[in-house]
Amino acid sequence: EMEDTIFSKIIRREVPADIVYEDDDTLAFLDIKPVAPGHTLVIPKKPVRNIFDADDATLIAVMRTIQKISPAVRDAVGAHGVHINSNHEAAAGQIVFHLHFHIVPRHSRSEFSFWPQKDFSRDDAAAIAEKIRANIK
Ligand code: AMP
C-alpha cells in the first residue's frame, strides 16, 4: 500500500484546497505555490505514485480531466496556452509522491525560457535510441 500524501488528505477533505473540478476518478485544484496565476494540479483519486506504476485506466482518466479543464484554466486568466508538466521520482523533481500533472497558463513565449538544449552526435543518439527500444517491455 502506498503511503498517504498531502494529496490523499485533499481528496478526503482533511486539508483545504481550491478545488476546481472533481469526478469519480480525478480531482483538480490550485497549486499552493503557483508558477503563474491559475496553476492547477490534476490528480487521480487512486493513490498511484507516478508514471512508473500507473495503470492505463488511471492515466486515461487523468488525461481526460486535463483536456476537459485546460481551456477553462487558460481562459480564466486570459492566457494563450498552457504547459502540461509532470515530475516522476525525486531525480526529476517529484516532491509529492501521488501522480499529478501541472497545468500552467502561459501568456507569451517570452515570459519564460525553455530548458537548455544541447547538440548531440548522431552516433550517441543512435546508441541511446537502440537502448530505449531494447528496454521497452
Ligand atoms: P512536484 O511533486 O515537484 O510536482 O511538486 C508538487 C506540487 O504540489 C508543488 O508545485 C507544490 O506547490 C504543490 N503542493 C504541495 N502541497 C500542496 C497543497 N497542500 N495544496 C496545493 N498544492 C500543493
Side-chain angles (χ1 to χ4, degrees):
E1 257 306 286
M2 212 177 81
E3 220 176 287
D4 228 26
T5 67
I6 187 81
F7 292 171
S8 306
K9 296 185 172 70
I10 289 173
I11 293 164
R12 294 196 300 264
R13 307 300 202 271
E14 292 166 12
V15 164
D18 294 296
I19 294 169
V20 299
Y21 178 79
E22 178 171 25
D23 62 25
D24 287 349
D25 303 314
T26 67
L27 189 70
F29 51 91
L30 296 186
D31 195 296
I32 206 168
K33 281 198 177 171
V35 169
H39 180 170
T40 299
L41 300 176
V42 179
I43 68 171
K45 288 185 175 172
K46 186 173 170 182
V48 168
R49 181 179 170 90
N50 58 35
I51 194 75
F52 297 116
D53 68 350
D55 56 281
D56 290 12
T58 298
L59 284 171
I60 288 166
V62 167
M63 202 48 73
R64 279 206 187 104
T65 295
I66 291 169
Q67 186 181 40
K68 186 178 182 75
I69 74 171
S70 283
V73 170
R74 177 195 62 193
D75 295 346
V77 295
H80 301 292
V82 293
H83 271 145
I84 295 169
N85 173 63
S86 191
N87 306 319
H88 304 267
E89 293 301 332
Q94 185 174 13
I95 292 167
V96 178
F97 292 97
H98 180 127
L99 178 70
H100 56 280
F101 287 78
H102 301 253
I103 304 175
V104 180
R106 290 301 186 185
H107 295 77
S108 76
R109 171 126 188 207
S110 61
E111 72 187 354
F112 66 93
S113 52
F114 282 106
W115 46 20
Q117 291 181 290
K118 302 181 186 75
D119 289 323
F120 202 43
S121 85
R122 279 302 315 145
D123 285 351
D124 288 349
I128 288 175
E130 179 49 36
K131 277 190 191 168
I132 292 171
R133 285 192 294 267
N135 275 290
I136 293 173
K137 295 184 175 85

